[in-house]
């Protein structure tokens, strides 16, 4: 069986944008002072990131964790122990 693999690259921007619009978000791109900014808005929620794929990640984060999406102290400690052993 062949394992499927998707890597974050330029070819994921359009599918990420299409997914956000399908989910009802209005996606906008702005460029100020040579900096590119992306925003996705739906109702009172605004997501801001450097590209469509990051916007989609924020969308999933908010959908899965809700308005209290931030990690608690114990979750942060567990993350640091797993991925940054020297910090734990």
């Amino acid at each position: 069986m062949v394992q499927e693999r998707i890597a974050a690259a330029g070819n994921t921007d359009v599918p990420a944008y299409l997914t956000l619009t399908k989910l009802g978000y209005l996606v906008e791109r702005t460029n100020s002072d040579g900096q590119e900014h992306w925003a996705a808005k739906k109702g009172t929620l605004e997501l801001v990131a450097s590209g469509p794929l990051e916007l989609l990640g924020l969308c999933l984060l908010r959908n899965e964790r809700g308005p209290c999406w931030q990690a608690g102290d114990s979750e942060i400690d567990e993350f640091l122990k797993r991925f940054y052993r020297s910090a734990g």
Side-chain angles (χ1 to χ4, degrees), residues 14-51:
V14 174
Y17 162 77
L18 294 171
T19 302
L20 286 162
T21 58
K22 183 178 178 181
L23 292 170
Y25 285 87
L26 172 64
V27 178
E28 297 179 333
R29 177 191 167 273
T30 59
N31 192 337
S32 60
D33 298 327
Q35 295 284 333
E36 183 177 86
H37 301 280
W38 289 77
K41 299 174 186 174
K42 182 178 179 182
T44 59
L45 177 62
E46 181 178 17
L47 309 171
V48 179
S50 62

Side-chain angles (χ1 to χ4, degrees), residues 59-80:
C59 172
L60 179 61
L61 174 69
R62 178 56 167 72
N63 285 346
E64 290 298 313
R65 292 187 61 98
C68 298
W69 54 265
Q70 297 91 339
D73 290 343
S74 63
E75 293 171 312
I76 293 169
D77 289 344
E78 185 179 322
F79 176 85
L80 292 174

Side-chain angles (χ1 to χ4, degrees), residues 52-62:
L53 189 58
E54 285 183 359
L55 285 176
L56 186 57
L58 293 175
C59 172
L60 179 61
L61 174 69
R62 178 56 167 72

